[in-house]
């Protein structure tokens, strides 16, 4: 046994070297493998805990079904109204109600509040007589209506109406349409016809209330204007009376009625003196202008000569004389070209020309005299008018001093008259607008009875329940997975314990016999134990260990089954193998193999010299069995004696391998004593039964005695229920075998 090369392991399951240092290679590989596919790990958890998820989903669906069955069915009817931004007017008149400067969000929020107001709800309750509607009053609670007295007092009726209004408001929904003036009105009730009636009545009542508010506002405005008009009329009459009395006392005579002044008011009528002064002032201005023009024409004629003046140029006589002179000058020039000036014909022409010149000078003097006469006449008229104007100015100034108070009375009368006219016009406009009844709210769509209930939403509730159940079930699965410290699958074993996996053994159904299952080499159980045997062949440098100790944390984890199967594999390969039942407290090998247990390991440890006497033939010709023998009072004392290593040395001379079915580790000293002498210790762990903490404590106890733990075997493993899927299934060969047998049978039958 000095050729044992299997390295010991730490209590935490890490492989230790010769010097006792930690070698984290296997643990790191296991953790890296764990990190390679976290999604796969999570899916495996969900599959492994699928019954938690299924149960949670079924519970959630049951709750949803109960809710759907017990919830009162409500039907929703929806109508729509339009709250226009501007009032639709039949005439261009105002009704006196307050208008916002612009229709802001505040205005619309006010309208929504009015739609949900208690006053409107009570109006609808009274119109539809909802207090006597059993479906409306008691349909929401699902209970039968209580008998109540028919004769109710005013307070009781009022309380009942308030309760009905509260029910209506609780089930009423107002939803404005974004970026529009449309508003949807919805109501839920157990009766679809009732829902439609309530929505339509609510819309009509809202319009009626809106009109009533406007009519009330116009009525108040008319009453207010009537009082103001009466007061203004009295003030206007008083002010006009003062004007007439003052004009009579001061002798102020106005020619015409008061004239309209720009901007609304009136001006006082002109007086007689003022009118005369105005006319003379106009005539004076005209005379002054004429005098200035006549003076200018006279001065120009004097300076440039009457013949060169405008009047001289436009005078017909002067024009004719100038034409005759020009003609005579032409003839005179022709004669001078041929004759001397003393020529008689030339002298006759010269005398005619001189006569025309004399006539021109005489006519020019007449023109200048006419201009001077006109100038003097204009100056005389101007002086006369100026004298008259100066005479009237004193009278006008005196009249103005007496008209100051008159104008004060006149302005007061004008103000009262303007105010009176404006109030009277406003009163007429409000009267016409109030009679027409303007409104900015209209019904767009009337509510129709609903075809189906809106509550309960059966399909949605079931869908939400399923989704919630899946979510809660998955969360519960992860929580249970975190709380579950058992070894579930092969990668759990390597990740949680850090020891190598030698093999995973599928669960053997209770109806199958172990030996029969091992006999058929194509069964999953036989294939898995053959894989375990193959793994053991690589645990030492010289092949499979000669002394293999099979143990576990607790009883019933499959170590006896694994020991029998491993011994059979050795025997089937032609190796002489001895199976020893070392569990002297609860032996089971003789029951499994149906052997006698009159003597065995107990006798050998007690000092028996003939070991062959206690060896029995096994189910295979190369396999022998040593049962536990009689149960001793204290098996630990026998194991601690010197006979155990001596027995191993003697038996190894006859057998190639010894497989020891040992007792469990926890609570007993037997397993550590045997593991100290075994070349290799194989730790058996039952899937889903053994907790990680228990295994770690067991491994630590074995490590304390320098047990050579070569790996672990996961027994009772069910890949389907554990949620793990591997590339190779032990049933692969079995399927091929069954297919081959089926094909052979068909060939034989054919």
């Amino acid at each position: 046994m000095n050729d044992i090369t299997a390295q010991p392991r730490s209590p935490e399951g890490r492989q230790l070297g010769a010097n006792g240092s930690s070698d984290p290679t296997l643990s790191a590989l296991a953790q890296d493998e764990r990190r390679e596919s976290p999604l796969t790990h999570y899916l495996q958890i969900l599959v492994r805990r699928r019954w938690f998820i299924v149960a949670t989903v079924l519970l959630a669906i049951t709750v949803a079904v109960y809710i759907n069955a017990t919830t009162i069915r409500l039907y929703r009817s929806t109508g729509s109204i339009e709250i226009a931004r501007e009032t639709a007017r039949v005439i261009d008149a105002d009704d006196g109600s307050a208008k916002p400067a612009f229709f802001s969000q505040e205005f619309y929020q006010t309208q929504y509040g009015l739609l949900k107001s208690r006053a409107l709800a009570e109006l609808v309750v009274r119109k539809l007589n909802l207090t006597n509607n059993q479906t409306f009053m008691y349909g929401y609670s699902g209970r039968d209506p209580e008998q109540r007295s028919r004769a109710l007092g005013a307070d009781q009726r009022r309380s009942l109406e308030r309760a009905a209004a509260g029910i209506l408001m609780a089930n009423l929904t107002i939803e404005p349409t974004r970026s529009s003036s449309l508003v949807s009105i919805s109501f839920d009730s157990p009766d679809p016809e009732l829902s439609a009636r309530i929505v339509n009545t609510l819309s009509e009542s809202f319009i009626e209330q809106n009109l009533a508010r406007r009519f009330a506002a116009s009525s108040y405005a008319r009453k207010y204007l009537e009082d103001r008009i009466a007061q203004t009329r009295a003030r206007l009459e008083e002010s006009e009376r003062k004007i007439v009395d003052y004009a009579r006392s001061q002798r102020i005579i106005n020619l015409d009625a008061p004239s309209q002044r720009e901007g609304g008011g009136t001006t006082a009528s002109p007086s007689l003196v003022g009118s005369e002064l105005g006319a003379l002032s106009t005539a004076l201005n005209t005379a002054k202008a004429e005098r200035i023009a006549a003076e200018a024409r006279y001065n120009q004629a004097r300076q440039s000569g009457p013949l060169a003046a405008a009047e001289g140029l436009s005078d017909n006589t002067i024009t004719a004389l100038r034409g005759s002179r020009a003609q005579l000058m032409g003839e005179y020039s022709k004669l001078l070209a041929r004759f001397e000036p003393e020529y008689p014909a030339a002298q006759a022409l010269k005398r005619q020309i001189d006569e025309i010149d004399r006539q021109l000078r005489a006519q020019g003097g007449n023109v200048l005299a006419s201009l001077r006469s006109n100038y003097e006449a204009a100056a005389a008229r101007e002086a006369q008018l100026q004298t008259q104007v100066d005479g009237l100015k004193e009278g006008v100034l005196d009249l103005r001093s007496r008209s100051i108070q008159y104008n004060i009375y006149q302005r007061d009368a004008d103000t009262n008259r303007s105010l009176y006219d404006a109030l009277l016009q406003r009163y007429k406009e409000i009267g016409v607008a109030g009679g027409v009844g303007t409104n900015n709210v209209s019904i767009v769509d009337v509510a129709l009875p609903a075809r189906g209930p809106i509550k309960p939403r059966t399909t949605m509730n079931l869908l939400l329940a399923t989704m919630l159940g899946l979510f809660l079930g998955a969360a519960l699965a992860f929580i249970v997975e975190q709380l579950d410290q058992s070894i579930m699958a092969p990668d759990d074993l390597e990740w949680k314990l850090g020891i190598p996996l030698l093999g995973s053994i599928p669960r053997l159904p209770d109806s199958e016999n172990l030996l029969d299952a091992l006999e058929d080499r194509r069964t999953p159980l036989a294939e898995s134990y053959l894989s375990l045997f193959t793994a053991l062949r690589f645990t030492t440098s010289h092949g499979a260990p000669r002394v293999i100790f099979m143990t576990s944390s607790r009883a019933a984890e499959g170590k006896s089954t694994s020991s029998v199967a491993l011994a059979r594999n050795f025997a089937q390969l032609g190796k002489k193998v001895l199976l020893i039942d070392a569990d002297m407290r609860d032996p089971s090998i003789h029951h499994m193999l149906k052997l006698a247990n009159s003597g065995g390991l107990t006798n050998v440890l007690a000092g028996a010299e003939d070991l062959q006497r206690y060896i029995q033939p096994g189910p295979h010709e190369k396999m022998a069995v040593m049962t536990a023998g009689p149960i001793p009072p204290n098996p630990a004392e026998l194991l601690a004696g010197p006979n155990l290593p001596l027995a191993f040395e003697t038996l190894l001379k006859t057998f190639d391998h010894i497989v020891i079915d040992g007792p469990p580790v926890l609570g007993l000293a037997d397993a550590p004593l045997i593991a100290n002498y075994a070349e290799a210790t194989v730790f058996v762990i039952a899937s889903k039964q053994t907790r990680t903490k228990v295994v770690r404590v067991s491994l630590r106890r074995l490590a304390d005695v320098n047990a050579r733990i070569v790996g672990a075997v996961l027994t009772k493993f069910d890949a389907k229920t554990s949620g793990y899927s591997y590339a190779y299934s032990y049933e692969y060969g079995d399927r091929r075998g069954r297919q081959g047998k089926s094909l052979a049978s068909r060939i034989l039958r054919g």
Side-chain angles (χ1 to χ4, degrees):
M1 295 180 59
N2 296 329
D3 58 349
I4 296 175
T5 59
Q7 301 298 329
R9 292 179 173 269
S10 67
E12 291 78 10
R14 293 189 299 269
Q15 189 175 16
L16 302 178
N19 56 359
S21 61
S22 297
D23 184 5
T25 304
L26 293 175
S27 178
L29 289 174
Q31 294 178 0
D32 290 340
E33 181 182 354
R34 191 76 171 201
R35 289 193 295 265
E36 284 178 0
S37 181
L39 180 59
T40 303
H41 171 64
Y42 296 146
L43 292 177
Q44 289 173 350
I45 293 176
L46 295 178
V47 174
R48 188 162 58 245
R49 306 292 182 180
R50 60 184 177 273
W51 295 116
F52 286 100
I53 301 176
V54 172
T56 306
V57 171
L58 292 178
L59 179 60
I61 293 177
T62 302
V63 173
V65 171
Y66 175 78
I67 293 175
N68 291 334
T70 57
T71 301
I72 301 298
R73 294 182 177 273
L74 297 180
Y75 297 84
R76 173 172 293 181
S77 292
T78 302
S80 61
I81 63 174
E82 178 188 9
I83 303 177
R85 291 183 175 272
E86 295 182 357
T87 302
R89 296 183 177 181
V90 180
I91 59 173
D92 189 13
D94 195 359
D95 60 357
S97 59
K99 300 295 190 303
F102 56 90
F103 284 79
S104 62
Q105 188 65 24
E106 180 181 357
F107 167 77
Y108 284 111
Q109 292 298 328
T110 302
Q111 300 301 311
Y112 306 151
L114 292 175
L115 282 169
K116 293 185 289 186
S117 64
R118 178 173 293 275
L120 182 60
E122 292 179 355
L123 180 60
V124 175
V125 168
R126 289 191 294 270
K127 281 188 173 184
L128 296 178
N129 195 19
L130 295 180
T131 55
N132 294 325
N133 191 313
Q134 304 298 323
T135 301
F136 179 81
M137 296 298 296
Y138 305 100
Y140 293 97
S141 59
R143 60 183 178 87
D144 295 333
E146 299 179 358
Q147 296 294 331
R148 54 188 179 87
S149 176
R150 295 182 179 178
L152 297 177
D155 294 340
Q156 292 176 330
R157 286 196 301 270
R158 182 62 178 168
S159 299
L160 197 60
E161 287 180 358
R162 289 178 179 175
I167 296 175
L168 192 149
M169 295 168 63
N171 294 277
L172 180 66
T173 303
I174 305 298
E175 295 182 351
T177 304
R178 293 178 61 88
S179 303
S180 72
S181 57
L182 297 178
V183 180
S184 297
I185 304 175
S186 303
F187 187 78
D188 304 337
S189 76
D191 185 2
E193 298 288 343
L194 179 61
S195 298
R197 288 201 307 272
I198 289 178
V199 171
N200 294 330
T201 305
L202 185 86
S203 302
E204 295 170 357
S205 300
F206 179 69
I207 295 176
E208 292 175 3
Q209 275 194 347
N210 189 53
L211 288 173
R213 284 193 299 271
R214 291 176 177 270
F215 182 77
S218 62
S219 299
Y220 175 80
R222 287 197 301 271
K223 182 64 173 63
Y224 173 76
L225 288 175
E226 288 174 357
D227 297 339
R228 291 295 304 275
I229 287 173
Q231 298 173 7
T232 306
R233 185 188 299 114
R235 289 197 298 268
L236 177 59
E237 293 174 354
E238 180 66 21
S239 60
E240 288 179 344
R241 190 178 297 110
K242 289 181 180 180
I243 292 174
V244 174
D245 294 342
Y246 185 79
R248 184 183 296 114
S249 63
Q250 297 296 326
R251 310 295 298 175
I252 299 175
I253 301 175
N254 294 326
L255 298 178
D256 300 322
S259 60
Q260 190 71 24
R261 183 173 56 203
E262 183 179 0
T266 59
T267 58
S269 300
S271 63
L272 183 59
V273 177
S275 299
E276 185 178 357
L277 178 60
L280 289 176
S281 297
T282 303
L284 176 61
N285 292 332
T286 303
K288 186 181 293 186
E290 292 176 354
R291 189 265 305 168
I292 293 173
E295 184 180 6
R297 289 194 297 271
Y298 174 67
N299 292 332
Q300 182 181 5
R302 256 191 340 176
Q303 293 174 3
S304 59
L307 297 180
E311 288 75 4
L313 295 176
S314 60
D315 188 84
N316 294 330
T317 302
I318 296 176
T319 302
L321 291 174
R322 284 179 174 173
S324 299
R325 185 180 184 279
Q327 184 179 4
L328 292 175
M329 282 297 296
E331 294 176 357
Y332 181 69
S333 298
K334 291 179 180 179
L335 290 176
L336 289 179
R338 293 189 300 169
F339 303 101
E340 293 293 331
E342 289 80 9
Y343 183 69
Q347 290 181 355
L349 288 175
K350 180 71 169 99
R351 287 192 295 271
Q352 292 179 6
I353 291 172
D354 291 340
E355 180 61 25
I356 290 176
D357 288 339
R358 184 189 63 76
Q359 292 178 1
L360 285 174
R361 285 192 295 273
Q363 188 63 27
N366 294 334
V367 171
L368 184 61
S370 177
L371 290 175
R372 183 176 64 243
S373 176
N374 291 338
Y375 164 66
E376 292 174 352
R381 179 173 176 76
E382 179 184 2
Q384 181 184 4
L385 290 175
Q386 184 65 48
T387 302
Q388 293 178 357
V389 169
D390 293 340
L392 289 176
K393 282 184 179 179
E394 294 296 330
V396 171
L397 293 176
D398 179 64
L399 178 62
R400 286 187 176 180
S401 63
R402 291 182 289 112
S403 297
I404 293 176
Q405 186 63 37
Y406 178 85
N407 292 333
I408 293 175
Y409 290 150
Q410 183 67 51
R411 283 194 297 272
D412 187 27
D414 293 342
T415 302
N416 291 331
R417 184 176 294 104
S418 299
L419 181 58
Y420 177 77
D421 293 340
L423 291 174
L424 189 60
Q425 180 65 27
R426 181 64 172 163
Y427 180 78
K428 293 178 180 178
E429 291 176 356
I430 290 178
V432 174
V436 173
T438 59
N439 188 29
N440 67 320
V441 182
S442 60
I443 296 177
V444 178
D445 292 325
V446 297
L448 301 176
R451 296 183 178 179
I454 190 174
K455 292 181 182 179
R457 306 172 70 177
T458 305
T459 304
M460 181 61 68
N461 290 344
L462 292 177
L463 181 60
L464 291 177
T466 303
M467 296 178 63
L468 182 61
L470 289 173
F471 176 77
L472 293 179
L476 181 62
F478 285 112
I479 293 175
V480 172
E481 182 71 18
Q482 294 297 322
L483 296 177
D484 188 1
Q485 295 297 318
S486 61
I487 305 299
M488 304 279 299
D491 57 346
D492 282 346
L493 187 146
E494 295 184 351
W495 177 59
K496 295 179 179 179
L497 301 177
I499 59 177
L501 174 69
L502 297 177
S504 57
I505 310 302
R507 177 183 291 276
L508 179 67
D510 297 335
S511 60
E512 294 188 17
N513 182 269
L514 173 63
L515 297 179
D516 294 339
L518 293 175
E519 190 67 27
D520 187 357
R521 300 296 299 272
R522 294 184 180 274
T523 61
L525 186 68
E527 291 285 353
S528 62
Y529 277 117
L530 182 60
S531 176
L532 170 63
F533 172 73
T534 303
L536 286 174
R537 295 178 63 184
F538 297 97
T539 56
T540 65
S541 59
H542 60 274
R546 300 195 64 188
V547 180
I548 302 174
F549 176 54
M550 307 289 289
T551 186
S552 62
S553 297
R554 299 177 304 180
E557 292 198 45
K559 54 182 177 56
S560 299
T561 303
S562 300
S563 300
V564 173
L566 187 60
R568 283 181 61 89
N569 286 333
F570 277 112
Q572 288 175 354
L573 291 179
K575 301 289 185 179
K576 295 186 63 177
V577 59
L578 175 63
L579 173 62
I580 300 177
D581 188 352
D583 189 356
M584 293 178 289
R585 299 177 186 270
D586 185 19
S588 59
I589 295 296
H590 64 283
H591 293 296
M592 296 176 61
L593 302 181
K594 298 179 180 181
L595 300 175
N597 192 28
S598 58
L601 181 61
T602 303
N603 303 96
V604 174
L605 296 179
E609 295 181 357
D610 186 8
L611 301 183
Q612 296 296 327
R613 176 184 175 185
Y614 303 103
I615 297 176
Q616 303 180 55
H620 196 276
E621 61 179 355
K622 293 289 184 176
M623 177 181 173
V625 180
M626 179 183 288
T627 61
I631 299 177
N634 192 352
E637 293 182 357
L638 294 177
L639 293 172
N643 293 327
L644 181 61
L646 294 177
F648 286 163
E649 291 181 2
T650 302
L651 293 173
L652 286 175
K653 294 178 182 179
T654 305
F655 297 96
D656 297 323
H657 299 279
I658 298 175
V659 178
I660 305 172
D661 178 20
V665 176
L666 292 183
L668 303 175
D670 303 2
L673 292 173
I674 300 174
N676 188 36
Y677 298 106
E679 181 180 1
T681 298
V682 177
F683 202 86
V684 179
I685 301 173
S687 175
K688 300 183 181 180
Q689 297 181 9
T690 309
R691 299 178 66 83
T692 304
K693 185 176 181 180
V694 174
V695 177
R696 288 176 179 172
V697 173
S698 302
L699 293 175
R700 188 178 296 110
R701 289 197 63 191
L702 295 176
D704 291 340
V705 297
N706 295 323
R708 299 164 183 83
I709 304 173
V710 296
V713 178
L714 185 66
T715 60
K716 303 179 182 181
F717 174 64
D718 188 349
K720 296 180 180 179
T721 60
S722 298
Y724 289 87
S725 177
Y726 295 94
Y728 174 77
S729 173
Y730 290 122
E731 297 179 356
Y732 173 73
D734 186 44
R735 288 196 300 269
R736 293 187 60 185
R738 288 196 299 268
Q739 294 173 357
K741 292 179 181 179
S742 177
L743 178 61
S745 63
R746 288 198 300 270
I747 294 175
L748 292 175
R749 286 196 302 269

